[in-house]
């Protein structure tokens, strides 16, 4: 049964694949997150569950000074250096960051791993009264033919990993992720936050066979060794070979939720 400590280590042996093959995020979405603070001298962001810094560097490229908070040392060490990004090794629920000190708290593709109320309480604490919380999830767009076929292969392999659970006793992390996104999308409500806004974007990731396999390797819920892994790789290679002339891009839908702290 999964525990919080165990789940912080789920990506330890996947950090290089995560850094190299995970998708980025739409520039227009990054700008939306930043727009309320344009014009001030410095925009301070705490990017929680930052992983290998994909989102942190995008925020840094947009001009923010980013504190990337990540509990997994291997993931942080796999991150490319960026002049506007510094790392802190800490969990989402107890970051150790100063109260009322950040304009933005963000979490990209990570919030479903956190303890719900405890993490939101912490985000409220470290945000300035006029700050913003930005929660982001991207997921494969199954309405796209190639992406849908790739997703089907991944889901079939996922179902063979009976040991994968979330921090919530016995529930698959994918179930928790979907539940949280659907709950937020429908009700736009979170403890410690108000005025929750929801937006949706799209993103396209150019892929070859190596990248498609690398992306699969970065997923925490797959078996990454033995015959099951070898079979998955063969299926991905066959999918790529049969679609080269039609295109092998992965297409994503990206959900953004923005809220203001209740102070």
């Amino acid at each position: 049964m999964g525990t919080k400590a165990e789940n912080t280590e789920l990506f330890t042996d996947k950090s290089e694949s995560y850094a190299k093959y995970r998708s980025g995020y739409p520039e227009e979405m990054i700008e939306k997150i930043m727009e309320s603070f344009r014009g001030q001298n410095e925009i301070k962001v705490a990017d929680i569950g930052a992983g290998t810094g994909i989102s942190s560097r995008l925020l840094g490229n947009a001009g923010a000074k980013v504190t990337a908070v990540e509990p997994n040392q291997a993931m942080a060490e796999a991150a490319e250096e960026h002049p506007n990004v510094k790392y802190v090794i800490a969990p989402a629920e107890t970051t150790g960051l100063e109260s009322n000190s950040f304009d933005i708290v963000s979490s990209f593709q990570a919030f479903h791993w956190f303890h719900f109320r405890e993490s939101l309480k912490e985000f409220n604490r470290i945000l300035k009264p006029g700050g913003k919380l930005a929660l982001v999830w991207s997921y494969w767009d199954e309405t796209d033919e190639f992406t849908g076929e790739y997703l089907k292969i991944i889901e079939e392999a996922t179902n063979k990993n009976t040991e994968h659970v979330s921090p919530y006793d016995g529930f698959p992390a994918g179930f928790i992720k979907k539940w949280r996104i659907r709950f937020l999308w429908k009700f736009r409500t979170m403890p410690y936050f108000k005025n929750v806004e929801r937006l949706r974007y799209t993103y396209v990731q150019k892929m070859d066979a190596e990248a498609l396999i690398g992306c699969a390797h970065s997923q925490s819920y797959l078996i990454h060794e033995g015959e099951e892994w070898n079979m998955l790789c063969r299926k991905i290679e066959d999918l790529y070979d049969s679609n080269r002339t039609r295109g092998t891009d992965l297409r994503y839908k990206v959900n953004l939720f923005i809220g203001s702290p209740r102070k």
Side-chain angles (χ1 to χ4, degrees), residues 30-59:
I30 299 296
E31 183 53 39
K32 174 64 178 178
I33 293 170
M34 303 272 289
E35 68 178 5
S36 298
F37 307 96
R38 291 299 186 194
Q40 64 185 52
N41 291 333
E42 183 177 78
I43 303 173
K44 294 182 65 178
V45 179
D47 190 27
I48 313 295
T52 60
I54 296 170
S55 55
S56 299
R57 289 190 297 276
L58 289 172
L59 292 161

Side-chain angles (χ1 to χ4, degrees), residues 61-107:
N61 290 342
K65 297 295 183 182
V66 183
T67 300
V69 179
E70 168 58 40
N72 187 301
Q73 185 73 43
M75 293 287 277
E77 290 175 354
E80 295 178 23
E81 291 188 5
H82 191 287
N84 284 349
V85 179
K86 67 175 183 179
Y87 264 83
V88 170
I89 304 301
E93 299 81 5
T94 51
T95 63
L97 302 177
E98 185 179 349
S99 297
N100 303 309
S101 58
F102 288 90
D103 300 295
I104 299 167
V105 168
S106 62
S107 181

Side-chain angles (χ1 to χ4, degrees), residues 1-3 7 10 112-113 164-174 176:
M1 192 164 291
T3 68
N7 280 283
L10 278 172
H112 52 284
W113 292 110
H164 177 68
V165 294
S166 78
Y168 295 83
D169 296 339
F171 284 102
I176 296 296

Side-chain angles (χ1 to χ4, degrees), residues 224-236:
H224 296 96
E225 58 186 7
E227 183 54 34
E228 295 294 349
W229 172 249
N230 293 335
M231 184 182 301
L232 172 61
C233 292
R234 287 194 295 270
K235 288 182 177 180
I236 291 174

Side-chain angles (χ1 to χ4, degrees), residues 143-159:
T143 65
D144 173 70
E145 184 176 355
F146 178 80
T147 307
E149 291 179 15
Y150 181 77
L151 174 59
K152 183 178 179 181
I153 291 172
I154 297 296
E155 287 181 336
E156 288 174 351
T158 300
N159 292 335

